[in-house]
Amino acid sequence: MTATLAETRTNSADDGGVSSDSTEGPRADRPRRRSFTPEYKAAIVAEYDALAEPGARGALLRREGLYSSHIVEWRRARDAGALDGLARSGGRGGKDRDKAEIERLRKRAERAEAELERTRAALDLVGKAHALLEMLSESAGTRRESKR
């Protein structure tokens, strides 16, 4: 005789509730996200790039528990100089972030000023076109009146 799903649940040791003997809360055994140092990232990318044998790169990824997307992301960071900068500084690099933010805001302001100039030129053009049309409609209106 086979047990039903409800019978299986009532007979199991795990009733779905939170056990009272847990001192750290209900999710104490939850895995934590891994973090990698810049030195580790640089070493893995260098080792990955050095491998040329078939299957060697996959073996490296399996050995380290990584995905190819990690390598792609870390290679981009390395090419942008982010891994070297983090490995050297040892700090947060607040001045570099501030400079980058200032540069980003400066470019944004330049784009906004250029757009403002285009808008002003378009408004000027529309104003001139309106004045021209108004002048034409007035002259057309006086001609009609003179014919009558």
Side-chain angles (χ1 to χ4, degrees), residues 6-137:
E7 292 172 346
T8 306
R9 285 186 180 160
T10 57
N11 293 335
S12 75
D14 181 19
D15 62 356
V18 178
S19 63
S20 61
D21 62 345
S22 176
T23 58
E24 296 182 36
R27 296 204 159 214
D29 58 343
R30 187 176 186 181
R32 296 194 186 268
R33 182 176 288 223
R34 295 185 300 169
S35 61
F36 305 101
T37 65
E39 294 84 10
Y40 175 81
K41 292 176 183 180
I44 292 296
V45 169
E47 184 177 352
Y48 186 87
D49 289 341
L51 296 173
E53 301 162 9
R57 290 181 170 180
L60 171 68
L61 294 176
R62 285 189 298 277
R63 182 188 79 211
E64 297 294 327
L66 300 172
Y67 295 98
S68 60
S69 60
H70 285 114
I71 302 298
V72 170
E73 182 181 335
W74 296 348
R75 188 179 289 137
R76 285 183 187 147
R78 179 202 62 197
D79 293 345
L83 291 182
D84 295 335
L86 288 175
R88 279 193 311 252
S89 70
R92 290 187 171 216
K95 291 181 182 178
D96 291 336
R97 277 195 213 137
D98 290 343
K99 287 180 182 177
E101 179 72 7
I102 289 169
E103 182 64 22
R104 185 183 67 78
L105 292 173
R106 186 187 62 74
K107 287 180 181 179
R108 182 177 174 191
E110 287 176 357
R111 285 192 303 267
E113 288 174 3
E115 184 177 349
L116 179 62
E117 284 301 314
R118 286 191 302 270
T119 303
R120 284 182 179 159
L123 283 174
D124 186 42
L125 183 65
V126 168
K128 288 179 181 179
H130 177 71
L132 177 64
L133 289 173
E134 192 173 279
M135 186 176 69
L136 290 174
S137 71

